[in-house]
Amino acid sequence: MPKNKFQDVVFTIIMATVMVYGMVVYNVALNTGGVTGQTFLLALHELPVMVPIAFVLEFFVVGRIARGLAFSVMRPDDRPQFITYAISICICCIMCPVMSLIATILFKENQSFGTWIQTWVMNFPMAICYQMFYCGPFVRLVFRTIFREKQSEAEGALELD
């Protein structure tokens, strides 16, 4: 997982992009009554707005709060994968209502409290499942692949010297 600020920025950008895209596809499918090829294209229109919002929220606010919450039930010597799961769950528990509120304000015709609650309730099961079973493992694999290659290149350069 990220070992410095640069890696943290890269990881958060990838995670925000993949998570937001998946959730927007889900919401477009809910709004249009199903999934078609057009659903995936329509979802691209919200990415330039929602990905930067998700990145800023997670990187500067939610990530810190989620780590604090996770470590209120986890110990630093617990298995790293369980710590990762705890942090991911805490991030979803915070990001889902916040991003649902933002999406309600920006994209819903009826911007009422009830619409926000409905959006949140419809999104939460999908967000947790998508994060834990698909998005999270995929993004961690991509991240490890990116930074393993860079580490291998650096080690190879040292061997040549």
Side-chain angles (χ1 to χ4, degrees):
M1 296 320 324
K3 293 179 178 25
N4 56 49
K5 276 293 183 198
F6 174 72
Q7 288 184 2
D8 197 16
V9 168
V10 171
F11 181 81
T12 305
I13 289 170
I14 298 169
M15 182 64 78
T17 303
V18 174
M19 192 70 191
V20 166
Y21 183 67
M23 292 306 297
V24 172
V25 166
Y26 173 70
N27 278 279
V28 169
L30 286 176
N31 292 337
T32 60
V35 178
T36 65
Q38 189 71 11
T39 307
F40 296 95
L41 293 174
L42 291 171
L44 291 173
H45 295 285
E46 291 183 26
L47 287 185
V49 174
M50 297 303 279
V51 169
I53 292 170
F55 172 81
V56 168
L57 280 171
E58 199 286 322
F59 192 79
F60 293 106
V61 181
V62 174
R64 293 175 192 188
I65 295 169
R67 282 189 223 24
L69 289 171
F71 281 108
S72 72
V73 295
M74 303 297 294
R75 293 184 320 264
D77 61 336
D78 284 334
R79 291 180 64 181
Q81 69 199 50
F82 292 141
I83 292 171
T84 298
Y85 300 153
I87 293 169
S88 294
I89 289 168
C90 290
I91 288 172
C92 272
C93 287
I94 300 167
M95 288 292 283
C96 187
V98 173
M99 292 300 287
S100 294
L101 177 63
I102 292 166
T104 298
I105 292 167
L106 294 177
F107 302 110
K108 299 279 184 168
E109 286 182 32
N110 181 1
Q111 301 170 342
S112 68
F113 178 76
T115 302
W116 168 55
I117 296 298
Q118 180 181 8
T119 303
W120 175 12
V121 169
M122 295 293 289
N123 282 333
F124 188 73
M126 178 61 176
I128 284 286
C129 290
Y130 182 53
Q131 172 56 237
M132 297 305 292
F133 300 117
Y134 300 101
C135 180
F138 174 71
V139 169
R140 287 189 291 276
L141 173 68
V142 168
F143 180 81
R144 281 192 311 268
T145 302
I146 291 169
F147 285 97
R148 182 177 297 138
E149 289 177 11
K150 291 187 182 254
Q151 187 177 17
S152 296
E153 290 172 11
E155 289 170 358
L158 288 176
E159 290 175 6
L160 293 175
D161 289 339

